[in-house]
Each structure stands twice: as structure tokens, then as C-alpha cells.
């Protein structure tokens, strides 16, 4: 029997309502020894892609244990509720089978086992089907911490049937890096889906084309403070991806960028 002592909790619940506190109290009632770590609850409502990106950025740094992830616009439908074991049992990801978990599962080396959470012995009685975080996912995460075997939670399913995540890939065509804004953080840094190795041909000065052929010139730098006031920069961020930045300012605001926007990078002529 494996006992987990940490639940890392990510959701789009926000902090204005009682949802997060209720789920955490459910977990503590079932598994009082477990520590619940709030990864974030500020995923934009219903944005599975943003949730999956936040999860995949975080998962390699999370403590071993259970990851409880809930961004679930299809709650109450026939979408599956799942628990996915990774890293030989070092962790289990619990949440909806809607692509939210898939990138994090891949980041941790793939699923070793997965189950469909159909055994309501480990759920709370539900007055309605729209709060699966409280009634299914939270209790399941807690029961896993309390030593319940994965296969007691429901039937095994083939991990290959889990819904994949849909994360965009950059490409290079005719000396132009075709990319997309993955994420804008609270500082206004605009992370691109570009591995530095794929853009190694770019020089110190980079032409940035965006928003119907608007153009700015950016400078490749190592740190924010290497930039002059108001200067646009390109650096490798803490997750190893190229990011558009302004020192002590918002690159996203200056350029009018948001997640999903197309950005092209090349060498100024």
C-alpha cells in the first residue's frame, strides 16, 4: 500500500467563491495527514489549454504525490473522470479526460496505469453533477493519499485512449520562425512556443512580426535588466522557451499580444 502525503491542486475555480476551500476541506476530511499545495486557481475559466500549459510548466517541480487538476467545461457530461499513474507510482494525476492532463503525463515519462473513476464508493453523494472537483476528483485524490489502491477506484483503461493535449508547435520556413504566444504571465512577458535551439540562427537583432504585419525589432538578451528602457527583448525564460520581454514593463501590453496570437521571428533585412 502506497501512502501519498501531498496533493498539488490546480483549477480554474478562482478565489472569489468557496469552491477551492470546499475541495481542500473534503481532502483534509478524508486524508488529514495530506498537505494541499495550491499550484494556481487562476486559470481562465473553461480554458483547458491554459490549464494544461500551467500544469506542464509546473509538474516537474511538484512534490511526489497526487496532482489534482480541474478545468472541466464538460462537467456533467459523459467525458471520463480519470486517475493516471506516472513515474512508476511516484505520482498520480487526477482530473477530467479532456486533454488537461496529457502534456503533464508526457512530461513525467508517460502513464504506467490509468483508471476510469467509476467506483462511487470513493465519491461524495452529489446533489447535482456540476461540481466534480468536490464530489469526485477531490475525494479520489484524498483516498489515494489514504492508501486506496488505484484499481479500486475504477476499471483500468488503456492510456493510449486518454484524450491528447493540443499544444501548438513552432516551425521554421525560409528563415522565419513561425510561432505562437503560449502564455502571458502577470508581468506581461509573452512566452512563445519556441525552443532556443530551433531559433539558433537568429542573430542579436531579431525582427518580430505580429498583429497583421506590425513589426518591432527586439534584442536577444540574457536578463531583463540587460534591456534599455522601453526596448523589446527576446530571452530564454525559466522554462527554457523564447519569451518577448520589456524590462520592468509589459511586452504583451506594448504589442497587444495575448495567448494564441501568431508571432514571426526572423533576421532584419
Amino acid at each position: 500500500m502506497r501512502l501519498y502525503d501531498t496533493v498539488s491542486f490546480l483549477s480554474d475555480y478562482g478565489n472569489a467563491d468557496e469552491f477551492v476551500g470546499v475541495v481542500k476541506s473534503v481532502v483534509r476530511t478524508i486524508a488529514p495527514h495530506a498537505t494541499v499545495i495550491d499550484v494556481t486557481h487562476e486559470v481562465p475559466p473553461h480554458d483547458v489549454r491554459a490549464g494544461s500549459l500551467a500544469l506542464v510548466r509546473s509538474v516537474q517541480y511538484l512534490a511526489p504525490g497526487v496532482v489534482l487538476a480541474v478545468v472541466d467545461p464538460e462537467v456533467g457530461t459523459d467525458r471520463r473522470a480519470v486517475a493516471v499513474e506516472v513515474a512508476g507510482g511516484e505520482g498520480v494525476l487526477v482530473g477530467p479526460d479532456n486533454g488537461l492532463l496529457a502534456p503533464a503525463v508526457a512530461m513525467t515519462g508517460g502513464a504506467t496505469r490509468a483508471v476510469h473513476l467509476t467506483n462511487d464508493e470513493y465519491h461524495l453523494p452529489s446533489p447535482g453533477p456540476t461540481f466534480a472537483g468536490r464530489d469526485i476528483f477531490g475525494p479520489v485524490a484524498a483516498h489515494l493519499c489514504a492508501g486506496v489502491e488505484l484499481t479500486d477506484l475504477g476499471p483500468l483503461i488503456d492510456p493510449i485512449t486518454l484524450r491528447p493535449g493540443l499544444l501548438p508547435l513552432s516551425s521554421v520556413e525560409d528563415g522565419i520562425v513561425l510561432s505562437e504566444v503560449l502564455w502571458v504571465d502577470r508581468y506581461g512577458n509573452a512566452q512563445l512556443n519556441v525552443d532556443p535551439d530551433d531559433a539558433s540562427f537568429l542573430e542579436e537583432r531579431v525582427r518580430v512580426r505580429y498583429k497583421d504585419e506590425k513589426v518591432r525589432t527586439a534584442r536577444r538578451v540574457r536578463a531583463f535588466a540587460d534591456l534599455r528602457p522601453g526596448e523589446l527583448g527576446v530571452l530564454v525564460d525559466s522554462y527554457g522557451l523564447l519569451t518577448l520581454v520589456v524590462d520592468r514593463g509589459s511586452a504583451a501590453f506594448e504589442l497587444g499580444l495575448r495567448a494564441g496570437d501568431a508571432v514571426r521571428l526572423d533576421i532584419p533585412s
Side-chain angles (χ1 to χ4, degrees):
M1 180 177 68
R2 183 186 292 270
L3 293 174
Y4 300 105
D5 61 7
T6 304
V7 175
S8 298
F9 185 17
L10 173 148
S11 77
D12 63 348
Y13 289 157
N15 289 295
D17 300 302
E18 72 276 11
F19 306 137
V20 170
V22 166
V23 174
K24 291 169 72 172
S25 289
V26 167
V27 171
R28 182 166 177 80
T29 299
I30 297 168
H33 70 285
T35 297
V36 181
I37 295 172
D38 296 301
V39 179
T40 182
H41 300 295
E42 297 299 330
V43 173
H46 318 301
D47 194 336
V48 174
R49 184 182 112 142
S52 70
L53 285 167
L55 189 58
V56 77
R57 288 193 302 267
S58 307
V59 70
Q60 60 188 309
Y61 303 105
L62 298 180
V66 179
V67 175
L68 170 58
V70 189
V71 181
D72 195 14
E74 298 171 293
V75 64
T77 70
D78 60 358
R79 66 94 187 90
R80 291 186 299 190
V82 296
V84 184
E85 183 184 74
V86 296
E90 287 297 308
V92 180
L93 283 73
V94 175
D97 182 22
N98 60 4
L100 175 67
L101 307 180
V105 170
M107 176 65 75
T108 53
T112 51
R113 294 186 296 172
V115 297
H116 186 188
L117 301 175
T118 57
N119 187 351
D120 60 11
E121 178 182 350
Y122 298 104
H123 304 171
L124 293 187
S126 176
T130 62
F131 196 177
R134 177 194 67 193
D135 300 332
I136 299 175
F137 301 127
V140 162
H143 283 297
L144 284 165
C145 290
V148 171
E149 167 58 36
L150 185 73
T151 51
D152 289 339
L153 302 169
L156 286 167
I157 56 177
D158 188 339
I160 203 170
T161 68
L162 295 170
R163 190 182 299 185
L166 299 176
L167 299 184
L169 299 176
S170 64
S171 61
V172 179
E173 297 181 9
D174 300 323
I176 301 172
V177 180
L178 305 177
S179 71
E180 184 174 309
V181 178
L182 287 179
W183 174 47
V184 175
D185 68 17
R186 72 185 303 267
Y187 299 101
N189 304 313
Q191 183 187 67
L192 306 178
N193 61 335
V194 180
D195 186 295
D197 290 344
D198 296 333
S200 59
F201 64 91
L202 295 177
E203 299 174 354
E204 181 185 7
R205 297 287 175 179
V206 178
R207 181 165 56 184
V208 180
R209 290 187 279 179
Y210 61 101
K211 291 287 184 183
D212 299 323
E213 297 304 314
K214 291 182 179 180
V215 178
R216 285 279 299 271
T217 298
R219 184 161 61 93
R220 298 192 74 168
V221 294
R222 183 176 182 276
F224 301 103
D226 293 338
L227 294 165
R228 295 184 292 272
E231 185 180 19
L232 182 66
V234 180
L235 56 70
V236 179
D237 71 9
S238 60
Y239 295 101
L241 295 176
L242 292 190
T243 297
L244 299 175
V245 301
V246 172
D247 184 33
R248 305 186 197 189
S250 170
F253 179 79
E254 287 203 15
L255 277 59
L257 293 175
R258 60 183 181 180
D261 284 348
V263 174
R264 293 188 289 173
L265 307 175
D266 61 6
I267 299 172
S269 54

